[in-house]
Amino acid sequence: MSVVGSIEEICTSALGAIENAENSEALDAVRVSVMGKKGSLTSILKSMGQIPKEQKAEVGKAANSAKKRIEAALEARFAALSAAELEAKMSAEAIDITLPGKSRPIGTRHLINNMEAQICEIFAGLGYVVVAGPEVETQYYNFEALNTPADHPARGLQDSFYIVDATGAQTNVRGESDVLLRTQTSGTQIHVMESQRPPIYMVAPGKVYRKDVPDPSHLPQFTQIEGLVVDKGITFGDLKGTLDYFCKKMFGEERKTRFRPHFFPFTEPSVEADVSCGICHGEGCRFCKGTGWVEVLGCGMVDPNVFGFVDIDPEEYSGFAFGMGVERIACLKYNVPDLRMLVEGDMRFLRQF
Ligand code: DAH
C-alpha cells in the first residue's frame, strides 16, 4: 500500500475510534495510539526522511491533513465527553446551593427562669446567698412555724394540694393531712433559721402551689422568691431601702416605691410594696386601675413569735422578710396582661423575650 494510502487508513480508523470512545479516558488512549511518541501517525511523520523526494510533498500534505482532522475530532469529542461527565457528576452529587438551609431553632431560657435568675442576681449583688427549700412541706414549715396555726383565718387564703399517705397521715382541726405542696416559699425561712445562726441574708426561689383556678391573675402553680435578713439592729428602714433598691434595679431607676400597711401572720408590722406604674408614670391609667401604683410584693419585719420557733433571741436580733411572685414581676416588667400567657408555651409569645 502506498504511504498516502496507509495515512488515509490510519486517519479513518482513528476518526472511527474517536467517535466510539465512551469516555475521556478511552479518548486519551486513542490520542496516544495515533499521535503519541510511538503513535501510528507519529511514526509515519518520523519516517518522512526515507520517503523518495518526488513523493514527499504529497505524503506531507496527506499527513498534515490527517493530523488536523484527527486533532479537530479529538477536540470536539473531548468537549462533548467532558460536558457529559460533568453533568453526570453534578446530578450524582446533586447539591442545590440555591435551596434555603435547614436551620435549627436555638433554645433560650424561659421567661420565668430568666426573671428568677435576674432577681437572684440583684440580691446576690447585695451579698445574699441563694438557697432552695423543699416543694413538699409539712404543715409545720408551711404554716405553724410561720405563726399561722390551723385555726388562723389566713389559712383560708392559701388552700393547697394535700398529700395523703397510705398509713393515714395525721389530720389537723381543718381535716387536712400533714403533708402538702407548699403554698409559699416562706417555709424556707424556717429551714434556714433552723440550720444557720444569724447573720442571715438569703433569697429562696422556687415553685409554690395553690388550689386556685387559673385566671389572669392566678395560677395553681407559680414561682416565688422569698427573702430573709436576720442580723443585729435591722430596722424597717433597711427593709425599705433594700426593696426600693431592688425595684429600681428591676424596673428602672426612675421608678418610685411606696409601702402600704397590710397583714401577714409571720411579719409585724407587715406591708405591701408598690412601684410607680411603668405605663402612666404615676398619672393613673387602666394598667394601674387609676392609682398610679402597682403592687409588687409582700414584706415586713420578722414577727418575734417566728424567732421563738427557731430559737433566735428577738432581743438580740431583728430582721425583715419579703416574698414576691416571679410571674407577677415578669408581667409588670413586660406589661403582660394575663399570667396564663407565661405557661401556655406559645413560642410566638415566648420568643419575644
Ligand atoms: N408568703 C406570702 C404570700 O405568699 C408573701 C410574703 C409576704 C412573704 C410577706 C414574706 C413576707 O416573706 O414577709 O402571700
Side-chain angles (χ1 to χ4, degrees):
M1 198 196 287
S2 71
V3 182
V4 172
S6 27
I7 290 174
E8 279 310 316
E9 209 175 318
I10 288 168
C11 184
T12 312
S13 85
L15 292 178
I18 289 169
E19 200 52 44
N20 291 332
E22 274 174 5
N23 53 46
S24 47
E25 231 170 88
L27 184 66
D28 201 53
V30 176
R31 181 188 63 79
V32 171
S33 75
V34 182
M35 322 267 278
K37 266 189 192 164
K38 291 177 183 158
S40 47
L41 190 63
T42 313
S43 37
I44 289 189
L45 291 170
K46 271 187 185 163
S47 63
M48 283 295 278
Q50 289 135 27
I51 290 172
K53 255 191 186 158
E54 61 280 11
Q55 286 179 26
K56 262 195 181 155
E58 198 194 352
V59 170
K61 208 172 145 192
N64 270 334
S65 135
K67 192 180 166 200
K68 274 189 192 146
R69 277 182 287 157
I70 292 167
E71 277 174 351
L74 278 170
E75 201 176 310
R77 186 71 186 143
F78 182 74
L81 284 174
S82 52
E85 279 161 18
L86 183 63
E87 184 79 9
K89 194 175 172 202
M90 287 203 316
S91 64
E93 290 173 2
I95 294 172
D96 184 347
I97 58 164
T98 66
L99 283 175
K102 284 182 193 153
S103 64
R104 271 169 198 271
I106 297 174
T108 53
R109 252 181 171 173
H110 189 279
L111 176 59
I112 299 174
N113 294 320
N114 211 349
M115 289 305 300
E116 183 182 308
Q118 275 184 44
I119 297 167
C120 289
E121 184 104 336
I122 293 172
F123 286 101
L126 292 172
Y128 287 51
V129 291
V130 180
V131 304
E135 285 178 33
V136 177
E137 270 294 16
T138 58
Q139 296 269 357
Y140 178 78
Y141 288 99
N142 196 72
F143 292 121
E144 270 134 50
L146 289 163
N147 205 27
T148 320
D151 58 359
H152 196 290
R155 288 260 191 130
L157 301 171
Q158 294 189 11
D159 200 7
S160 180
F161 299 97
Y162 292 89
I163 294 167
V164 183
D165 88 31
T167 59
Q170 299 165 246
T171 54
N172 63 18
V173 294
R174 300 169 64 88
E176 299 154 345
S177 88
D178 189 38
V179 183
L180 73 162
L181 295 181
R182 66 178 174 190
T183 60
Q184 50 187 353
T185 45
S186 304
T188 314
Q189 292 185 29
I190 307 301
H191 289 290
V192 168
M193 288 188 285
E194 275 180 350
S195 62
Q196 195 181 318
R197 295 286 92 186
I200 293 170
Y201 291 81
M202 71 89 176
V203 282
K207 293 195 188 82
V208 301
Y209 304 83
R210 292 192 193 173
K211 229 163 101 186
D212 278 332
V213 177
D215 71 23
S217 53
H218 294 88
L219 292 173
Q221 179 206 297
F222 60 103
T223 316
Q224 281 188 336
I225 294 192
E226 192 74 19
L228 175 69
V229 168
V230 184
D231 206 343
K232 286 184 175 151
I234 297 292
T235 67
F236 196 81
D238 296 314
L239 175 155
K240 283 178 78 176
T242 304
L243 295 175
D244 184 72
Y245 171 83
F246 164 73
C247 286
K248 287 185 162 59
K249 283 279 164 214
M250 177 50 66
F251 300 112
E253 291 296 328
E254 74 290 355
R255 305 291 280 268
K256 296 187 182 68
T257 49
R258 75 170 183 186
F259 297 82
R260 275 180 294 107
H262 198 77
F263 173 80
F264 295 104
F266 41 91
T267 44
E268 185 60 36
S270 300
V271 287
E272 273 185 335
D274 295 342
V275 68
S276 54
C277 178
I279 298 199
C280 65
H281 304 289
E283 299 280 307
C285 66
R286 262 176 55 175
F287 189 71
C288 58
K289 301 194 185 83
T291 63
W293 297 93
V294 283
E295 180 200 321
V296 180
L297 48 80
C299 52
M301 301 305 290
V302 179
D303 192 304
N305 285 349
V306 173
F307 284 142
F309 281 99
V310 290
D311 204 19
I312 290 178
D313 182 0
E315 297 297 325
E316 192 181 358
Y317 291 103
S318 56
F320 65 82
F322 55 90
M324 63 186 99
V326 175
E327 288 79 359
R328 185 172 169 75
I329 304 276
C331 288
L332 291 179
K333 187 165 168 122
Y334 298 109
N335 303 324
V336 178
D338 190 327
L339 286 178
R340 292 171 296 185
M341 294 169 83
L342 299 175
V343 292
E344 278 165 354
D346 184 334
M347 296 303 283
R348 292 167 303 178
F349 171 76
L350 293 173
R351 278 208 195 97
Q352 298 175 59
F353 306 102

